[in-house]
Amino acid sequence: MNSDMIHNQFETKFYGQLDAFFQSHGFGFVPDQKQYRKSTQNGFQNIIFSISEAQNVFWVEVNFGVRFEFIEQIAQQFLNNSFGYRPAANTLVISIGKFLEIKYFRYKVANQEDFDRVTQEIRSFFEEKGFDFLNTADSINFIEETLNDSPTMPCRYLYNQVHRCFKGIIAAKLSDNCNFSTVTNIYRHFLLKNGTDEDLLSYERLISFLHHYNAN
């Protein structure tokens, strides 16, 4: 049996073990995205799995987050993501390891005992912490605070800090942040140092758009 078949068999077994649990919490499986997803009033919540294999040992990383549709509809017009990715983009996303502040954390599955333990640990994490976070994160106020509370510091709930500048300033506009101009300048300074010329140009176009944007 080749490694692709072994990998596919493991994934089928793994998702099969978790399916009833996530379904009972309103999450449906999206096979092509390797994730469970739950539609919300504002967009969706999702739990994303990345499974890799080396020498019959499987490594499982779990990310989870939310998509806020208003923010993404604007942001994706100004970011250089592929068209196919745009409808699936998360507004906030974090791994279980990062959430628990454990560096380089992934679940290791080498045998049936590991398999049973890891799937139970994943269920327990979401029952105890994960679902509560997702429900809290599904609001413009939480997203705005998370992205913009410390605009000079990296945000742990997004992997791409350039994209954070775009999504953060949109969230600031949508929630009428009184520090909008200050946050705008902080992100502009960040992009001058860390972004490309294209990023900076897109950001200035976004700011111009937001000055004339009315959510109502």
Side-chain angles (χ1 to χ4, degrees), residues 170-183:
I170 295 166
K173 175 68 175 182
L174 293 177
S175 57
D176 293 322
N177 187 323
C178 59
N179 296 315
F180 181 83
S181 294
T182 303
V183 175

Side-chain angles (χ1 to χ4, degrees), residues 26-197:
F27 288 80
F29 189 52
V30 185
D32 59 325
Q33 306 268 345
K34 303 287 176 72
Q35 64 180 255
Y36 286 92
R37 186 181 290 181
K38 177 182 180 179
S39 294
T40 65
Q41 190 175 352
N42 297 321
F44 62 67
Q45 303 173 3
N46 60 351
I47 296 134
I48 310 157
F49 294 90
S50 300
I51 299 173
S52 55
E53 184 259 336
Q55 298 172 329
N56 293 327
V57 174
F58 291 89
W59 298 91
V60 181
E61 183 171 36
V62 187
N63 283 274
F64 57 106
V66 298
R67 175 186 175 91
F68 197 91
E69 195 64 37
F70 269 0
I71 292 174
E72 295 306 321
Q73 280 182 358
I74 298 172
Q76 296 303 320
Q77 298 176 55
F78 296 91
L79 297 173
N80 60 356
N81 290 327
S82 67
F83 282 105
Y85 173 76
R86 292 178 185 184
N90 275 67
T91 307
L92 300 180
V93 65
I94 191 169
S95 68
I96 287 180
K98 212 169 180 184
F99 188 87
L100 298 174
E101 299 183 338
I102 307 170
K103 280 191 172 181
Y104 314 118
F105 174 79
R106 291 181 297 169
Y107 294 104
K108 179 183 178 181
V109 181
N111 51 45
Q112 184 63 43
E113 186 181 347
D114 286 347
F115 182 90
D116 294 337
R117 175 182 51 78
V118 165
T119 50
Q120 181 53 49
E121 284 183 13
I122 290 169
R123 287 192 291 264
S124 296
F125 170 80
F126 281 100
E127 283 184 324
E128 294 165 13
K129 295 184 174 73
F131 290 138
D132 283 346
F133 169 79
L134 289 172
N135 290 331
T136 302
D138 186 35
S139 78
I140 187 62
N141 290 335
F142 181 89
I143 291 169
E144 199 279 327
E145 188 176 318
T146 299
L147 294 175
N148 299 326
D149 206 32
S150 302
T152 59
M153 302 292 291
C155 176
R156 66 197 287 250
Y157 293 99
L158 262 185
Y159 289 103
N160 189 318
Q161 297 303 310
V162 167
H163 289 191
R164 179 267 191 100
C165 298
F166 287 75
K167 298 183 185 194
I169 207 61
I170 295 166
K173 175 68 175 182
L174 293 177
S175 57
D176 293 322
N177 187 323
C178 59
N179 296 315
F180 181 83
S181 294
T182 303
V183 175
T184 297
N185 287 328
I186 290 170
Y187 290 149
R188 179 180 288 120
H189 183 68
F190 175 88
L191 291 170
L192 276 164
K193 289 178 65 178
N194 301 284
T196 64
D197 290 344

